[in-house]
């Protein structure tokens, strides 16, 4: 039984996150494994774009970066969920997602530099979202997403460390993991997310929301000096 997302407490939201990650409609084996092994740090906030939510989220991500042991578990993520807005179209969700990421960065940039070795230009192939000086790949999910595997009961952002990706690749596990995830996505949806295939050599910012974009799409995010 699901809860009213608009009135969800952090405990309620965490239970919903668990049900979503362990459900049959979620294709990411890494996320499922992270939840089962206690590798998910979850925080619940009010609304996309809310200034206080952005300030608190920046602080929570800093605490996460400072305290996580990347080598302790094969998979770990920071998951942020929000009470709303709900039932928004994909374009609107993407707009709100970048507003949220911009607001978090505006607070974070007051005390932290950009992640070393990564480009702050969201059009660059070397871009990664930076919080507390650490590089992340961000995944946006919401309940009306066109991809079945990205439909939790409320807006959600998952922050996955590039340092973790590098360790998985160094261990020779990346291609095998990616193949399994895409196989499950095909079984669930009938095809691989074309957004992944078409843009995997371009800026990762194009893939955060999971929405397929026109070639001339420009990311609305701007990193502070």
């Amino acid at each position: 039984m699901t809860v009213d997302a608009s009135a969800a407490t952090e405990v309620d939201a965490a239970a919903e996150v668990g049900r979503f990650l362990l459900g049959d409609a979620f294709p990411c084996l890494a996320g499922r494994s992270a939840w089962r092994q206690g590798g998910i740090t979850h925080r619940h906030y009010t609304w996309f774009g809310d200034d206080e939510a952005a300030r608190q989220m920046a602080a929570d991500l800093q605490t996460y970066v400072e305290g996580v042991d990347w080598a302790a578990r094969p998979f770990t993520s920071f998951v942020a969920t929000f009470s709303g807005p709900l039932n928004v179209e994909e374009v609107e969700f993407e707009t709100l997602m970048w507003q949220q990421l911009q607001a978090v960065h505006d607070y974070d940039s007051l005390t932290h530099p950009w992640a070393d070795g990564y480009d702050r230009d969201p059009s660059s192939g070397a871009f990664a979202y930076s919080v507390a000086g650490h590089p992340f790949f961000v995944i946006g999910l919401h309940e009306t997403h066109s991809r079945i595997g990205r439909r939790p009961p409320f807006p959600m952002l998952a922050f996955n460390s590039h340092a973790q990706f590098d360790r998985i690749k160094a261990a020779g596990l990346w291609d095998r993991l990616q193949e399994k995830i895409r196989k499950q996505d095909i079984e669930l949806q009938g095809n691989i997310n074309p957004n992944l295939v078409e843009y995997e050599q371009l800026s990762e910012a194009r893939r955060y929301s999971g929405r397929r974009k026109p070639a001339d799409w420009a990311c609305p995010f701007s990193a502070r000096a």
Side-chain angles (χ1 to χ4, degrees):
M1 180 178 181
T2 59
V3 300
D4 178 1
S6 65
T9 66
E10 186 148 344
V11 173
D12 294 332
E16 289 295 311
V17 170
R19 276 189 280 270
F20 170 69
L21 296 181
L22 299 180
D24 293 337
F26 185 68
C28 182
L29 301 177
R32 193 186 304 271
S33 177
W35 180 266
R36 285 174 171 160
Q37 297 177 19
I40 299 292
T41 296
H42 167 255
R43 296 291 181 270
H44 188 71
Y45 305 96
T46 52
W47 230 245
F48 265 160
D50 178 79
D51 187 69
E52 176 58 23
R55 184 197 65 77
Q56 186 59 56
M57 190 171 162
D60 289 341
L61 278 161
Q62 176 181 332
T63 300
Y64 172 70
V65 169
E66 293 173 347
V68 70
D69 183 353
W70 304 110
R73 297 183 178 89
F75 305 111
T76 180
S77 297
F78 181 95
V79 172
T81 56
F82 301 83
S83 293
L86 304 176
N87 299 312
V88 299
E89 297 295 328
E90 282 192 302
V91 173
E92 183 181 356
F93 172 80
E94 185 174 77
T95 298
L96 292 169
M97 180 194 75
W98 283 110
Q99 286 179 4
Q100 183 70 29
L101 293 177
Q102 182 71 62
V104 170
H105 169 68
D106 289 347
Y107 279 106
D108 179 72
S109 64
L110 298 175
T111 52
H112 295 94
W114 200 259
D116 188 41
Y118 291 86
D119 201 327
R120 65 180 62 216
D121 178 0
S123 68
S124 168
F127 173 81
Y129 186 73
S130 175
V131 189
H134 193 87
F136 287 99
F137 184 97
V138 183
I139 299 175
L141 311 94
H142 60 104
E143 76 279 17
T144 58
H145 203 288
S146 61
R147 302 300 297 182
I148 296 171
R150 285 199 182 202
R151 295 178 185 169
F154 35 44
M156 177 188 299
L157 297 178
F159 292 77
N160 297 318
S161 168
H162 271 277
Q164 183 170 250
F165 291 162
D166 292 342
R167 279 195 300 277
I168 295 172
K169 291 175 182 178
L173 301 175
W174 181 262
D175 290 341
R176 183 181 176 189
L177 177 63
Q178 187 177 60
E179 181 182 353
K180 287 184 176 181
I181 292 173
R182 291 187 174 188
K183 181 180 179 181
Q184 290 216 351
D185 201 27
I186 291 173
E187 292 176 355
L188 184 65
Q189 186 105 22
N191 56 37
I192 297 173
N193 188 342
N195 187 52
L196 298 179
V197 178
E198 185 174 355
Y199 298 121
E200 61 185 1
Q201 300 302 320
L202 303 177
S203 170
E204 66 177 49
R206 301 183 71 95
R207 308 201 299 274
Y208 284 6
S209 74
R211 181 182 71 88
R212 192 171 188 178
K213 299 171 179 60
D216 62 352
W217 179 81
C219 180
F221 176 80
S222 179
R224 306 305 181 194

